[in-house]
DNA sequence: TTCCGTTCCGTGCACGTGCACGTTTTCTTT
DNA sequence: AAAGAAAACGTGCACGTGCACGGAACGGAA
């Protein structure tokens, strides 16, 4: 692998000149610049990553993380991923500042301001989908502060990357699983988190799209909302089952799975009901193991937390953007055997 | 993050002395050594990774890779992962030597010798499971040449890590999927690769264990072998279907899936047969998309190739062993929607 | 005392990059 | 032609570690 020093020797100039050309800082004769670029191309120069990282350490990189703070199992797991990566980045002299906020645009903008006041070099953001936030992301990009969105994405912003799941595809996969795991006449009930939250409705749309296209033996008889709350989930699920005795399949698009399963068991319908859910968490893992839940589709929250920081750090030290093809968060299906 | 320099200043000694203590190279007074260790603990010293990597570059690390060379889709994908990582490691001044060999112990030992002659610092090995190879891995460890096994593991060797799948668990998961995706009376046929290859039989054992325990409605009516060959697979699968008209489920433990599916279609049984396979490859992806194959369990060969090199490199530069809990290769279920 | 060997410790370089600073050359203006 | 500004280029340090080399202190033997 060629180095700047080697290129400098080949071109008969000093390292500084080569550096100026390669990072176009100006102040170099057009003719020598051309010569240097030619040589760099000929030897296939790629900056050495260890050198880049070492040089970046002088800046004592500070990264900010903004996540939603209602303590639920999903965000807890995201946070674990953040702290895992924080420890790794510590040995690169890079520190992390975490802010947990409510699901609110104004709070989010304020949190960004606080991070800026503390002079962060980049931000990982679980964005609230509003024009004001999108404008802010673009403004940060102009200021040279890169933003990586995670958990959920926003449209048409200049975030350098998104690390999270494709919710429509997850919903389609849930539909595909239910289609494959059932036969005969199926009456499905949907337990939505909230029809105001994009990722919940996206999953539902994906689910519906799949079964309408491929599995006509499944009909959606009812849709209820549990507001991501376990107690409320128990109540609405029990009511749903009592009102629709024919229901023999359930799809939970979000949280409240524990309460919902408890309701199914309370009604004695666990043997006759095929249940598909999202995310594996400690409270519901045993339901999967025991077969109450047939399958669960995971959003890999730990990976979302760790990988988004990793990408941001790489961008700031080596200027590398992640390859588009590498989808870090896949649609991860778990059943009793592989959970 | 504390550095060696800072520790040296706190202890009132030079960097060299601290270095000697932390890497116990000897030649340092017991009293000062103790003092330095105390300070290092107090400031929670962790070596800086960028510095370590930079220092390691002087050695111009050379890594060897030994894979089985019969060109099949699985190993092709492993090789893609190797080359992907090769490119990444190139910017750390680290080069990779790849050897593809036949499935044979003697050839494998010879390949190791060749790599040693070229002075590699570590080896990624898809090991042939024989005592001679295990002894060799242990001998390499004694010589200071770490070995990472991949694709398949060997018992009781001193390899520093294994990057690959748990085949028994994969088989169990295949059984679980078939159990969930079928009902009524199921007569299953098993198309084994070879009963001489451990990972094939492991998967079969896992499959059998799962359905015997949990899914009594499934019975295994016949087991055939296709030797991982597409043409042979077509032949034995067709014969299997003709001899057992009652068969309505198939489990392919290894390669030859394309030929097998062609046989099912030739017999017109694709609508009535639930098929579970391993690995997604270009030739069989469309079968999954079209629903001929209900589900496939992937061994993530690309990740096996890239991650094993990554772990080896990290060990050689930073002396880091991967955390046991982080299982890089998961049991990855794919259906039409998420393939 | 002188000499030598051992133990203990400090210094300097290499790895590759970014960047501040200083120096030389070239061009413009009076 | 002289002076000053601007362009073009070189040098040195910092980042953190490993390691080779060399020097100081100390002991024992002649």
């Amino acid at each position: 692998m060629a180095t700047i020093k080697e290129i400098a020797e080949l071109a008969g100039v000093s390292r500084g000149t080569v550096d100026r050309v390669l990072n176009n800082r100006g102040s170099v004769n057009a003719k020598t610049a051309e010569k240097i670029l030619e040589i760099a191309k000929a030897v296939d120069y790629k900056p050495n990553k260890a050198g880049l990282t070492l040089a970046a350490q002088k800046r004592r990189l500070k990264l900010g993380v903004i996540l939603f703070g209602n303590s639920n199992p999903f965000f807890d797991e995201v946070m674990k991923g953040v702290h895992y990566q924080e420890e790794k980045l510590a040995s690169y002299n890079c520190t992390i500042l975490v802010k947990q906020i409510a699901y609110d645009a104004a709070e989010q903008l304020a949190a960004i301001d606080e991070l800026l006041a503390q002079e962060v070099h980049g931000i990982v953001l679980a964005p609230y989908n509003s024009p004001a936030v999108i404008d802010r992301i673009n403004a940060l990009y102009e200021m040279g502060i890169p933003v990586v969105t995670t958990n959920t994405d926003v449209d048409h912003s200049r975030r350098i990357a998104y690390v999270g799941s494709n919710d429509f595809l997850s919903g389609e996969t849930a539909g595909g699983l239910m289609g494959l795991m059932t036969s005969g006449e199926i009456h499905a009930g949907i337990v939505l988190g909230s029809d105001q939250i994009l990722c919940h409705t996206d999953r539902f749309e994906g689910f519906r799209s799949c079964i309408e296209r491929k599995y006509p033996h499944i009909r959606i008889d009812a849709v209820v909302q549990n507001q991501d709350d376990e107690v409320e989930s128990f109540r609405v699920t029990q009511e749903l089952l009592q009102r629709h005795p024919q229901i023999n399949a359930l799809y939970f698009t979000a949280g409240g799975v524990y309460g919902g399963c408890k309701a199914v068991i309370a009604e004695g319908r666990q043997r006759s009901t095929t249940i598909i859910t999202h995310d594996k968490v400690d409270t519901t893992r045993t339901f999967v193991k025991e077969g109450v839940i047939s399958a669960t589709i995971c959003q890999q929250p730990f990976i979302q937390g760790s990988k988004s920081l990793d990408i941001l750090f790489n961008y700031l030290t080596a200027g590398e953007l992640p390859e588009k093809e590498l989808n870090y968060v896949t649609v991860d299906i778990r059943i009793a055997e592989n959970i």
Side-chain angles (χ1 to χ4, degrees), chain A:
Chain A
M1 218 55 188
T3 68
I4 285 189
K5 191 182 157 197
E6 287 171 27
I7 295 177
E9 282 163 6
L10 285 171
V13 295
S14 75
R15 293 165 21 244
T17 307
V18 176
D19 172 56
R20 273 184 285 267
V21 172
L22 295 180
N23 300 286
N24 40 315
R25 303 188 214 281
S27 292
V28 49
N29 186 293
K31 203 130 166 62
T32 46
E34 194 190 3
K35 188 178 176 187
I36 287 169
L37 282 174
E38 260 176 32
I39 295 177
K41 197 166 186 182
V43 299
D44 189 30
Y45 173 75
K46 301 236 175 64
N48 183 287
K49 265 198 91 181
L52 283 172
T53 314
L54 201 63
Q57 281 189 160
K58 249 191 301 195
R59 290 189 280 163
R60 296 188 167 272
L61 284 181
K62 250 190 251 175
L63 308 183
V65 177
I66 300 176
L67 297 177
F68 298 122
N70 46 334
S71 175
N72 73 33
F74 178 82
F75 286 117
D76 290 349
E77 200 62 26
V78 175
M79 201 55 81
K80 275 191 201 166
V82 167
H83 288 135
Y84 171 80
Q85 197 64 25
E86 180 176 21
E87 211 171 314
K88 294 207 125 187
L89 294 183
S91 59
Y92 289 109
N93 207 352
C94 169
T95 53
I96 315 290
L97 301 172
V98 180
K99 294 222 175 290
Q100 296 205 63
I101 57 165
Y103 193 70
D104 177 82
E107 268 203 52
Q108 183 146 85
L109 294 173
I112 292 175
D113 282 334
E114 286 177 44
L115 289 178
L116 286 179
Q118 294 180 80
E119 297 186 308
V120 296
H121 298 86
I123 295 176
V124 167
L125 182 65
Y128 181 92
N129 196 358
S130 86
V133 171
I134 295 174
D135 285 349
R136 197 50 175 283
I137 291 174
N138 295 339
L140 286 169
Y141 181 83
E142 298 293 339
M143 291 166 61
I145 311 247
V147 172
V148 172
T149 54
T150 188
N151 303 343
T152 160
D153 204 12
V154 286
D155 311 318
H156 307 300
S157 78
R158 308 193 69 171
R159 89 269 186 293
I160 61 161
Y162 165 60
V163 179
S165 55
N166 181 330
D167 291 308
F168 188 84
L169 189 63
S170 289
E172 282 191 304
T173 306
L177 282 174
M178 189 172 280
L180 287 167
M181 290 180 177
T182 57
S183 57
E185 211 167 299
I186 296 297
H187 297 271
I190 312 293
V191 183
L192 213 59
S194 159
D195 59 11
Q196 297 300 308
I197 296 182
L198 198 66
C199 62
H200 300 180
T201 54
D202 272 358
R203 286 182 205 138
F204 178 39
E205 291 306 324
F207 181 86
R208 176 153 60 187
S209 153
C210 176
I211 62 169
E212 280 178 2
R213 200 161 15 91
K214 293 176 64 179
Y215 300 108
H217 71 284
I218 302 178
R219 280 187 39 199
I220 298 175
D221 281 12
V223 180
V224 295
Q225 298 183 33
N226 68 6
Q227 308 301 336
D228 262 6
D229 181 88
E230 298 292 358
V231 179
E232 177 71 1
S233 191
F234 181 89
R235 199 183 63 75
V236 298
T237 307
Q238 190 170 40
E239 201 179 290
L240 176 77
L241 291 171
Q242 287 170 353
R243 193 172 300 175
H244 302 274
Q246 80 284 9
I247 276 186
N248 51 7
L250 284 175
Y251 174 43
F252 289 86
T253 68
V257 173
Y258 178 80
C261 288
K262 279 286 180 192
V264 175
I265 292 168
E267 295 295 309
R269 306 258 288 265
Q270 70 270 25
R271 302 292 301 170
S272 56
T273 311
T274 300
I275 302 179
I276 308 282
T277 70
H278 285 277
D279 276 327
K280 83 179 151 182
V281 294
D282 291 336
T283 54
T284 59
R285 181 178 279 119
T286 52
F287 287 142
V288 176
K289 277 214 171 291
E290 291 166 2
V292 177
I293 296 172
S294 293
T296 185
I297 295 166
C298 307
Q299 322 299 126
Q300 301 173 299
F302 186 93
I303 294 179
Q304 294 191 28
S306 60
K307 203 73 203 177
S308 48
L309 270 176
D310 184 52
I311 287 173
L312 187 59
F313 179 76
N314 257 293
Y315 178 78
L316 286 168
T317 53
E320 271 179 4
L321 275 178
E323 287 127 286
K324 249 295 162 64
E325 320 92 62
L326 279 179
N327 223 328
Y328 296 107
V329 177
T330 58
V331 178
D332 184 27
I333 301 171
R334 301 287 171 155
I335 63 174
E337 280 69 27
N338 72 332
I339 200 163

